[in-house]
Amino acid sequence: MKNCAIILTALFFACKSASYHYRTPTINATPLSRGGEGLLGVQAGSAGLAAKGAYAFTKNINVNGWASFFPEGDDSYNSREVEFSLGLQTNQRNRRITALYLGWGNGDNELDKIDLAGSYNRPFIQLQRSRFMGTLYRERGFFDGYYGVRVNYLMYNGKLGANEFDDDYFYYEPYAGAAFGTNRIRLEFVSGFSIKGNKWKEGVRLYPFWANIGLAMSFGKKY
């Protein structure tokens, strides 16, 4: 435990040492198990604050969305962002689902200490494997678990001081998460990395690691 704390502390201060121009928000990843099921949730953490929702039209098709903001902190970074996606799921087998999400994000942000302001669009594709309605201790509790990867294409239009610029590139987000609780309300944790590739220090820099915790409420979920 002590070694884990040391590693996490080192990662935190390593991330704080540079000026990161864009902080990826959370991922809308909670699996929906059947048609007619809906979800509402809130999350908070290293990627800011977010409220999310989802609805399954059928067992194979759902829509998802969230809105988030990053309040100003010590480094005077702040942002506002919305995202919408269409989810396509396989038929569940042994409460396991593979899903493909196609989506679009849009937002704007500022980093006052370097006089940066910008707006951006972020189309993405997301592949996810999920396990839903697992049982805990004689079916007194339940859990969902999931992992996947999201591929984003960030189109950033910004102004750094008096100079305007554009920066477009792909970045990748492997992630994993889980939710534990009752049939209706669960505590959810999701964490991932934002990987830009071999041009990490060029152009718009990404915050490399994020983790969020929140509550998710399901409607129409059946055991």
Side-chain angles (χ1 to χ4, degrees), residues 4-5 22 25 52-54 64 68 85 104 113 137 149 172 178 186 193 198 205 210 214 221:
C4 290
Y22 177 60
K52 65 178 184 176
N64 310 272
S68 71
S85 65
W104 192 279
K113 72 177 183 179
Y137 191 63
V149 61
Y172 311 92
R186 301 185 185 181
F193 295 89
N198 60 358
R205 291 187 177 185
W210 51 268
K221 183 184 286 292

Side-chain angles (χ1 to χ4, degrees), residues 135-141:
T135 58
L136 298 170
Y137 191 63
R138 300 178 181 178
E139 300 183 6
R140 294 181 181 179

Side-chain angles (χ1 to χ4, degrees), residues 14 19 52 85 117 138 150 155 207:
S19 295
K52 65 178 184 176
S85 65
R138 300 178 181 178
R150 182 165 70 175
M155 299 179 288
Y207 200 79

Side-chain angles (χ1 to χ4, degrees), residues 84-96:
F84 299 96
S85 65
L86 173 68
L88 306 173
Q89 296 187 163
T90 61
N91 293 333
Q92 68 94 3
R93 185 175 181 180
N94 296 324
R95 301 184 197 150
R96 289 172 170 81

Side-chain angles (χ1 to χ4, degrees), residues 136-215:
L136 298 170
Y137 191 63
R138 300 178 181 178
E139 300 183 6
R140 294 181 181 179
F142 301 91
F143 71 91
D144 297 329
Y146 46 84
Y147 62 90
V149 61
R150 182 165 70 175
V151 180
N152 307 267
Y153 186 64
L154 182 67
M155 299 179 288
Y156 192 98
N157 176 257
K159 186 175 182 181
L160 184 60
N163 300 314
E164 295 186 0
F165 69 94
D166 294 302
D167 195 11
D168 304 338
Y169 58 83
F170 287 99
Y171 71 93
Y172 311 92
E173 291 179 290
Y175 65 90
F180 301 88
T182 69
N183 187 42
R184 181 63 61 87
I185 301 176
R186 301 185 185 181
L187 181 68
E188 184 176 28
F189 178 80
V190 57
S191 179
F193 295 89
S194 298
I195 303 170
K196 187 177 177 181
N198 60 358
K199 296 183 179 180
W200 183 262
K201 295 183 179 181
E202 297 179 16
V204 176
R205 291 187 177 185
L206 292 176
Y207 200 79
F209 171 78
W210 51 268
N212 293 281
I213 191 169
L215 291 175

